[in-house]
């Protein structure tokens, strides 16, 4: 057995960012940019009206004139025909190009159109018109040739919009790591089936796929493999095509815990088996050298809660590294225990807790957890309280660190 920190560093030493690829904006969300992005145009490309109203010469109105002749009308997508001269106005819609000679837009609310006698005039009730009012000048947002994003930026939805604005349909990014998920166990049936005698539903598969997505990976659901060498080898071979293969179950010391042996037969080199951790001790980790870059393989214990803890401590950081994202430790808060806690003290222990606010402090309520298979209780947890090894007794009111779960972050 190795310590948690040692296990994590052995994983991260082997987790290299995926090579950057030129991909469409539809795949850019959350990805890390591997190039500088430069604008190919001035944006906006023309002086642009920001409101519906009338384009005017501001000095006309400040000089006391309040009635202007309407000489043109321009909508978004049109080009103005007439340059504007003193005494004139152009009806203009939001997004349309401002005519030459105009330097302000007066909003509709301050304008009254008069069409009497076939001549259109507009009376303007605004003496405070300033030059540039309601106009975004050409290139005011971004200049042609100007960098808009640097290498290393994690792209957001807004960024996708700005990339399109500066002419990019594709960008060089580190793609989402592809993560195969393969639960193993002859007792497992898919969620759509009613379990027969001795069977349970595969809850780890959907949970792990969702965790992979939440970590920025692209899950590849491989269904279920029963505990036979041939079926495991067949399914594992599919999973070894991906950047990461996550297995669940079959890594302990039972007669049908075949996963480590089959992985070794497939050429996956074991890096470690066993971590000083509760729950999650049987964790297996190995690497397959592959022409297209090495594959990381995690054998998580089958118990759902053990699998979750191992995912958060070890798999999530690996996905983060392959995605070229900076490592961030999981959000952790200090909370006081609402009741005493006792554990064996031989391994660092993670225990599910609900968090309750009590004035200016946070209370950690230990859940009535019925062992590491108890997903039902875990679904009520806001976080996992951390109890280091070496001490087994904790009094109520003592402060502990609580690693927040996703649910805790969203607060639902
Ligand atoms: P194992 O690690 O294979 O010894 O499995 C440990 C426990 O987790 C057993 O009680 C299994 O039935 C349960 N288990 C294994 N795989 C899954 C799964 N995919 N979904 C739900 N429970 C599982
Ligand atoms: Mg099993």
């Amino acid at each position: 057995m190795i310590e948690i920190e040692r296990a994590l560093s052995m994983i991260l030493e082997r987790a290299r960012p995926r090579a950057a690829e030129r991909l469409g904006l539809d795949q850019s969300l959350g990805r890390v940019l591997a190039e500088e992005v430069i604008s190919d145009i001035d944006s906006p490309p023309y002086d642009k009206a920001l409101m519906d109203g009338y384009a005017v010469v501001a000095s006309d109105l400040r000089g006391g004139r309040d009635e202007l002749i309407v000489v043109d009308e321009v909508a978004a997508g049109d080009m103005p025909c007439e340059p504007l001269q003193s005494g004139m106005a152009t009806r203009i819609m939001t997004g349309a190009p401002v005519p030459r000679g105009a330097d302000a837009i007066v909003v509709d609310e301050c304008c009254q159109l008069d069409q009497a006698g076939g001549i259109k005039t507009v009376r303007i009730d605004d003496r405070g018109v300033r030059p540039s009012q309601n106009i975004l000048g050409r290139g005011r947002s971004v200049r042609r040739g100007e960098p808009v994003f640097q290498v290393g930026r994690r792209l957001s939805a807004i960024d996708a919009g700005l990339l399109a604005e500066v002419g990019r349909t594709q960008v060089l990014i580190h793609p989402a790591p592809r993560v195969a998920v393969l639960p193993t166990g002859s007792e497992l049936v898919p969620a759509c089936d009613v379990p027969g005698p001795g069977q349970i539903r595969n809850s780890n598969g959907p949970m792990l796929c969702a965790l992979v997505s939440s970590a920025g990976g692209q899950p590849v659901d491989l269904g279920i493999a029963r505990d036979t060498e041939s079926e495991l080898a067949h399914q594992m071979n599919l999973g070894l095509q991906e950047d990461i293969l996550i297995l669940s179950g079959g890594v302990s010391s039972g007669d049908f815990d075949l996963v480590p042996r089959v992985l070794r037969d497939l050429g996956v080199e074991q890096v470690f088996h066993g971590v000083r951790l509760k729950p999650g001790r049987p964790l297996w980790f190995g690497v397959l050298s592959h022409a297209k870059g090495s594959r990381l393989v995690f054998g998580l214990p089958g118990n759902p809660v053990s699998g979750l803890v191992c995912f958060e401590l070890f798999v999530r950081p690996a996905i983060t590294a392959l995605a070229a994202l900076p490592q961030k430790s999981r959000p952790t808060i200090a909370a006081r225990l609402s009741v005493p806690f006792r554990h064996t003290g031989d391994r660092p222990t993670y225990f599910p807790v609900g968090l309750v606010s009590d004035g200016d402090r946070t209370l950690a309520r230990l859940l009535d957890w019925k062992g590491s298979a108890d997903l039902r209780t875990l679904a009520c947890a806001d976080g996992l309280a951390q109890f280091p090894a070496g001490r087994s007794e904790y009094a109520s009111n003592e402060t502990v660190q609580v690693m927040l779960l996703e649910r805790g972050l969203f607060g639902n």
Side-chain angles (χ1 to χ4, degrees), residues 183-184 187-188 200-205 248-252 257 301-304:
T184 72
E187 74 277 36
L188 302 177
I200 59 166
R201 288 194 172 115
N202 166 28
S203 49
N204 287 354
S248 99
V251 286
S252 303
D257 290 332
N303 270 320

